[in-house]
Amino acid sequence: MDYRLESNKGKLNVYSPKIGMYLMEDATVDQVKIALATEMEYRTKLEIVKLLMTFPHGFLTTDNKVINNQEAVDEYESWYKEIYQRIGFIDEYYSLIDEKIQEIIL
């Protein structure tokens, strides 16, 4: 996370230099905490999706050979590029991640 905080009359503005705009304005500390925790949750969920979609890519066998599943890695990266286009619509973006987890594990 590379955010900048600005205090304004007891409220917080959260600026993202990555996208060059404010993500939150006039937010309470609790609102900022919830937003940051949610972002962390979905970063972790993305790692789970990557693991599930690419498994066993990158793992070692008992004779120390790396398992390569490049096709699965390419499929994950293609899926991720597709959903990343929706990051401006954060609820939809999060929903697509949740849907993928459900699709994989059910």
Side-chain angles (χ1 to χ4, degrees), residues 9-106:
K9 299 177 187 169
K11 300 282 186 159
L12 294 173
N13 298 329
V14 181
Y15 180 80
S16 172
K18 182 177 180 180
I19 61 172
M21 61 188 293
Y22 284 94
L23 300 174
M24 300 179 81
E25 294 182 80
D26 296 323
T28 66
V29 170
D30 286 343
Q31 288 171 319
V32 173
K33 286 179 182 179
I34 290 167
L36 295 177
T38 301
E39 181 182 330
M40 290 175 71
E41 172 189 359
Y42 278 89
R43 259 191 281 132
T44 301
K45 284 183 175 185
L46 273 174
E47 289 298 315
I48 292 167
V49 170
K50 184 176 183 178
L51 171 69
L52 295 174
M53 287 183 73
T54 64
F55 185 81
H57 179 80
F59 280 77
L60 293 175
T61 63
T62 54
D63 56 353
N64 287 326
K65 293 183 181 173
V66 177
I67 298 170
N68 186 346
N69 190 354
Q70 191 60 45
E71 184 178 324
V73 171
D74 293 344
E75 183 180 329
Y76 167 78
E77 289 175 355
S78 175
W79 170 81
Y80 180 71
K81 285 177 187 173
E82 183 180 321
I83 70 153
Y84 191 76
Q85 295 175 29
R86 308 307 299 162
I87 198 150
F89 306 94
I90 201 69
D91 290 335
E92 182 182 351
Y93 175 74
Y94 288 163
S95 179
L96 290 167
I97 294 168
D98 288 333
E99 287 172 15
K100 190 61 156 180
I101 291 173
Q102 290 300 311
E103 174 189 316
I104 293 169
I105 62 175
L106 294 180

